[in-house]
Amino acid sequence: MRRYFEDFAIGETWASEPFTLSQDAIIGYARDYDPQPIHIDPEKAADGPFGSVIASGWQIAALSMRVFVEAGGYGETPVVGMGIDELRWRRPVRPGDRLRVVRTVVETERSKTRPGFGVVRTQISVTNQDDEVVMTMVSLGRVPCRPVPARA
């Protein structure tokens, strides 16, 4: 299904199915992208400020996008990411945590400089199995507007 800018409504909400983050997944991601001891070394992490390995916040941000896209949140619409505002990592994510992503459309605005597109702002919140918020952010995406039929 293709969605156009006009199809997005303020207040529209999408929620993912819960998913579990394993220690292997946390360490694997961190080895490639955020190789700090608190993310890759269980022994050093045990003596650190969190008492165990925790996920990189960047991994949680990337996962929030992946689960949305895999669930078909944008359908076949080619959305171009324009940026992230207000990214906050609120709590550590530990191995075995079950996470859930909720995205809510908070603003839509037709582009003044590119009339064939609009900007959709979504508030994203990731919670754990105890309904504690672990990450929040606002994303901005450029979405194509519905084509105007050619006049006969």
Coordinates of all heavy atoms in Angstrom, one line a residue, residues 14 16-17 19-22 25-26 29-30 55-71 89 93-94 97-103 124-126 134-135 137:
W14 N 1.1 4.2 15.9 CA 1.5 2.8 15.5 C 2.3 2.3 16.6 O 3.1 2.9 17.2 CB 2.3 2.9 14.2 CG 2.9 1.5 13.8 CD1 2.3 0.6 13.1 CD2 4.1 1.0 14.2 NE1 3.1 -0.5 13.0 CE2 4.2 -0.3 13.7 CE3 5.2 1.5 15.0 CZ2 5.4 -1.1 13.9 CZ3 6.3 0.7 15.2 CH2 6.4 -0.6 14.7
S16 N 4.6 -1.3 17.9 CA 5.2 -2.5 17.4 C 4.8 -3.7 18.3 O 4.3 -3.5 19.4 CB 6.8 -2.4 17.4 OG 7.3 -2.5 18.8
E17 N 5.1 -4.9 17.9 CA 5.0 -6.0 18.7 C 6.2 -6.0 19.6 O 7.3 -5.5 19.2 CB 5.0 -7.3 17.9 CG 3.8 -7.5 17.1 CD 2.5 -7.7 17.9 OE1 2.6 -8.4 18.9 OE2 1.5 -7.2 17.5
F19 N 9.7 -7.1 21.3 CA 10.8 -7.9 20.8 C 11.9 -7.8 21.9 O 12.0 -6.9 22.7 CB 11.4 -7.3 19.5 CG 11.8 -5.9 19.5 CD1 13.2 -5.6 19.7 CD2 10.9 -4.9 19.3 CE1 13.6 -4.3 19.7 CE2 11.3 -3.6 19.3 CZ 12.7 -3.3 19.6
T20 N 12.6 -8.9 21.9 CA 13.7 -9.1 23.0 C 15.0 -8.8 22.4 O 15.4 -9.3 21.3 CB 13.6 -10.5 23.6 OG1 12.3 -10.7 24.1 CG2 14.6 -10.7 24.7
L21 N 15.9 -8.2 23.2 CA 17.2 -7.9 22.8 C 18.2 -8.8 23.6 O 18.2 -8.7 24.8 CB 17.5 -6.4 23.1 CG 18.7 -5.8 22.3 CD1 18.5 -6.0 20.8 CD2 18.8 -4.3 22.6
S22 N 18.9 -9.6 22.9 CA 19.8 -10.6 23.6 C 21.2 -9.9 23.8 O 21.6 -8.9 23.2 CB 20.0 -11.8 22.7 OG 20.8 -11.5 21.5
A25 N 23.2 -9.9 20.6 CA 22.8 -8.9 19.7 C 23.4 -7.5 20.2 O 23.9 -6.7 19.4 CB 21.3 -8.8 19.6
I26 N 23.4 -7.3 21.5 CA 23.9 -6.0 22.0 C 25.4 -6.0 21.8 O 25.9 -5.0 21.2 CB 23.6 -5.9 23.5 CG1 22.1 -5.7 23.8 CG2 24.5 -4.8 24.2 CD1 21.7 -5.8 25.2
Y29 N 26.3 -5.6 17.9 CA 26.1 -4.3 17.4 C 27.2 -3.4 17.9 O 27.8 -2.6 17.1 CB 24.7 -3.7 17.8 CG 24.5 -2.3 17.3 CD1 23.9 -2.1 16.1 CD2 24.9 -1.2 18.1 CE1 23.7 -0.8 15.7 CE2 24.8 0.1 17.7 CZ 24.1 0.3 16.5 OH 24.0 1.6 16.0
A30 N 27.5 -3.4 19.2 CA 28.5 -2.5 19.7 C 29.9 -2.8 19.2 O 30.6 -1.8 19.1 CB 28.4 -2.7 21.3
A55 N 22.8 -2.0 26.1 CA 22.8 -1.7 24.7 C 23.2 -0.3 24.4 O 22.9 0.6 25.2 CB 21.3 -1.9 24.2
S56 N 23.8 -0.1 23.3 CA 24.1 1.2 22.8 C 22.8 1.9 22.5 O 21.9 1.3 21.9 CB 25.0 1.1 21.5 OG 25.0 2.4 20.9
G57 N 22.7 3.2 22.9 CA 21.5 4.0 22.5 C 21.3 4.0 21.0 O 20.2 4.1 20.6
W58 N 22.4 4.1 20.3 CA 22.3 4.1 18.8 C 21.6 2.8 18.3 O 20.9 2.9 17.3 CB 23.7 4.3 18.2 CG 24.2 5.6 18.6 CD1 25.3 5.8 19.4 CD2 23.8 6.9 18.2 NE1 25.6 7.2 19.5 CE2 24.6 7.9 18.8 CE3 22.7 7.4 17.5 CZ2 24.4 9.2 18.7 CZ3 22.5 8.7 17.3 CH2 23.4 9.6 17.9
Q59 N 21.9 1.7 19.0 CA 21.2 0.5 18.6 C 19.7 0.5 18.8 O 19.0 0.1 17.9 CB 21.8 -0.7 19.4 CG 21.2 -2.1 19.0 CD 21.8 -3.2 19.7 OE1 22.4 -3.0 20.8 NE2 21.7 -4.4 19.2
I60 N 19.3 1.1 19.9 CA 17.9 1.2 20.1 C 17.2 2.2 19.1 O 16.1 1.9 18.6 CB 17.6 1.7 21.6 CG1 18.4 0.8 22.6 CG2 16.1 1.8 21.9 CD1 18.1 -0.6 22.4
A61 N 17.9 3.3 18.8 CA 17.4 4.2 17.8 C 17.2 3.5 16.4 O 16.2 3.6 15.8 CB 18.3 5.4 17.6
A62 N 18.2 2.7 16.0 CA 18.2 2.0 14.8 C 17.1 0.9 14.8 O 16.4 0.7 13.8 CB 19.5 1.4 14.5
L63 N 17.0 0.2 15.9 CA 15.9 -0.8 16.0 C 14.5 -0.2 15.9 O 13.6 -0.8 15.4 CB 16.1 -1.6 17.3 CG 17.2 -2.6 17.3 CD1 17.4 -3.1 18.8 CD2 16.9 -3.8 16.4
S64 N 14.4 1.0 16.5 CA 13.0 1.6 16.4 C 12.6 1.8 15.0 O 11.4 1.7 14.6 CB 13.0 2.9 17.2 OG 13.7 3.9 16.6
M65 N 13.6 2.2 14.1 CA 13.3 2.4 12.7 C 13.0 1.0 12.0 O 12.1 0.9 11.2 CB 14.4 3.1 12.0 CG 14.2 3.4 10.6 SD 12.8 4.5 10.4 CE 12.8 4.8 8.7
R66 N 13.9 0.0 12.3 CA 13.8 -1.3 11.7 C 12.4 -1.9 11.9 O 11.8 -2.4 11.0 CB 14.9 -2.2 12.1 CG 14.8 -3.5 11.3 CD 15.8 -4.6 11.9 NE 15.1 -5.3 12.9 CZ 15.6 -6.1 13.8 NH1 16.9 -6.3 13.8 NH2 14.9 -6.8 14.6
V67 N 11.9 -1.9 13.1 CA 10.7 -2.6 13.4 C 9.5 -1.9 12.7 O 8.5 -2.6 12.3 CB 10.4 -2.9 14.9 CG1 11.5 -3.7 15.5 CG2 10.3 -1.5 15.7
F68 N 9.6 -0.6 12.6 CA 8.5 0.2 12.0 C 8.5 -0.2 10.5 O 7.5 -0.4 9.9 CB 8.7 1.7 12.2 CG 7.6 2.5 11.6 CD1 6.4 2.5 12.1 CD2 7.9 3.4 10.6 CE1 5.3 3.3 11.6 CE2 6.9 4.2 10.0 CZ 5.6 4.1 10.6
V69 N 9.7 -0.1 9.8 CA 9.7 -0.4 8.4 C 9.3 -1.8 8.1 O 8.6 -2.1 7.2 CB 11.1 -0.1 7.8 CG1 11.3 -0.6 6.4 CG2 11.4 1.4 7.9
E70 N 9.9 -2.8 8.9 CA 9.5 -4.2 8.7 C 8.0 -4.5 8.8 O 7.5 -5.4 8.2 CB 10.3 -5.1 9.6 CG 11.8 -5.2 9.2 CD 12.6 -6.1 10.1 OE1 12.1 -6.4 11.2 OE2 13.8 -6.4 9.8
A71 N 7.4 -3.7 9.7 CA 5.9 -3.9 9.9 C 5.1 -3.3 8.8 O 3.9 -3.4 8.8 CB 5.5 -3.4 11.3
W89 N 18.1 9.2 25.7 CA 18.2 7.8 26.2 C 17.9 7.9 27.7 O 18.6 8.5 28.5 CB 19.6 7.2 25.9 CG 19.8 7.1 24.5 CD1 19.1 6.3 23.6 CD2 20.8 7.7 23.7 NE1 19.6 6.4 22.3 CE2 20.6 7.2 22.3 CE3 21.9 8.5 24.0 CZ2 21.5 7.6 21.3 CZ3 22.7 8.9 22.9 CH2 22.5 8.5 21.6
V93 N 19.2 -0.2 28.5 CA 18.5 -1.4 28.0 C 19.5 -2.6 28.2 O 20.6 -2.5 27.8 CB 18.2 -1.3 26.5 CG1 17.7 -2.6 25.9 CG2 17.2 -0.2 26.3
R94 N 19.0 -3.6 28.9 CA 19.8 -4.7 29.3 C 19.5 -6.0 28.5 O 18.4 -6.1 28.0 CB 19.6 -5.0 30.8 CG 20.0 -3.8 31.7 CD 19.7 -4.1 33.2 NE 19.8 -2.9 33.9 CZ 21.0 -2.4 34.3 NH1 22.1 -3.0 34.0 NH2 21.1 -1.3 35.0
D97 N 15.8 -7.6 27.9 CA 14.7 -6.7 27.9 C 13.8 -6.9 26.7 O 14.3 -7.1 25.6 CB 15.2 -5.2 28.0 CG 15.6 -4.7 29.3 OD1 15.5 -5.5 30.3 OD2 16.1 -3.6 29.4
R98 N 12.5 -6.8 27.0 CA 11.5 -6.8 25.9 C 11.1 -5.4 25.6 O 10.5 -4.7 26.5 CB 10.3 -7.7 26.3 CG 10.6 -9.1 26.3 CD 9.4 -10.0 26.5 NE 8.3 -9.8 25.6 CZ 8.2 -10.3 24.4 NH1 9.2 -10.9 23.8 NH2 7.1 -10.1 23.7
L99 N 11.3 -5.0 24.4 CA 11.1 -3.6 24.0 C 9.9 -3.5 23.1 O 9.5 -4.4 22.4 CB 12.3 -3.0 23.3 CG 13.6 -3.1 24.1 CD1 14.7 -2.5 23.2 CD2 13.5 -2.4 25.4
R100 N 9.2 -2.3 23.1 CA 8.1 -2.0 22.3 C 8.3 -0.5 21.8 O 8.6 0.3 22.6 CB 6.8 -2.1 23.1 CG 5.6 -1.9 22.3 CD 4.4 -2.4 23.2 NE 3.1 -2.2 22.5 CZ 2.3 -1.2 22.7 NH1 2.5 -0.4 23.7 NH2 1.2 -1.1 22.0
V101 N 8.0 -0.3 20.5 CA 8.1 1.0 19.9 C 6.7 1.6 19.6 O 5.9 0.9 19.1 CB 8.9 0.9 18.6 CG1 9.0 2.3 18.0 CG2 10.3 0.3 18.9
V102 N 6.5 2.8 20.0 CA 5.3 3.5 19.7 C 5.6 4.8 18.9 O 6.5 5.6 19.4 CB 4.4 3.9 20.9 CG1 3.2 4.7 20.6 CG2 4.0 2.6 21.7
R103 N 5.0 5.0 17.8 CA 5.2 6.2 17.0 C 3.9 6.9 16.8 O 2.9 6.3 16.5 CB 5.7 5.8 15.6 CG 7.1 5.1 15.6 CD 7.5 4.7 14.2 NE 7.7 5.8 13.3 CZ 8.9 6.2 12.9 NH1 10.0 5.6 13.4 NH2 9.1 7.2 12.1
I124 N 8.5 9.3 18.8 CA 8.9 7.9 19.0 C 9.2 7.7 20.5 O 10.0 8.4 21.1 CB 10.0 7.5 18.1 CG1 9.6 7.8 16.6 CG2 10.4 6.1 18.3 CD1 10.8 7.8 15.7
S125 N 8.6 6.6 21.0 CA 8.9 6.2 22.4 C 9.2 4.7 22.4 O 8.4 4.0 21.8 CB 7.7 6.6 23.3 OG 8.0 6.2 24.6
V126 N 10.2 4.3 23.1 CA 10.5 2.9 23.3 C 10.4 2.6 24.7 O 11.0 3.3 25.6 CB 12.0 2.6 22.7 CG1 12.3 1.1 22.9 CG2 12.1 3.0 21.3
V134 N 12.6 3.9 27.7 CA 14.0 3.8 27.6 C 14.6 4.8 26.6 O 15.8 5.1 26.7 CB 14.5 2.3 27.3 CG1 14.0 1.4 28.4 CG2 14.0 1.9 26.0
M135 N 13.8 5.2 25.6 CA 14.3 6.2 24.7 C 13.1 6.9 24.1 O 12.1 6.4 23.9 CB 15.0 5.4 23.5 CG 15.7 6.4 22.5 SD 16.2 5.6 21.0 CE 14.6 5.7 20.1
M137 N 12.4 10.2 20.9 CA 12.9 11.1 19.9 C 11.8 11.5 19.0 O 10.7 10.9 19.0 CB 14.0 10.4 19.1 CG 13.6 9.3 18.2 SD 15.0 8.6 17.3 CE 14.4 7.1 16.6

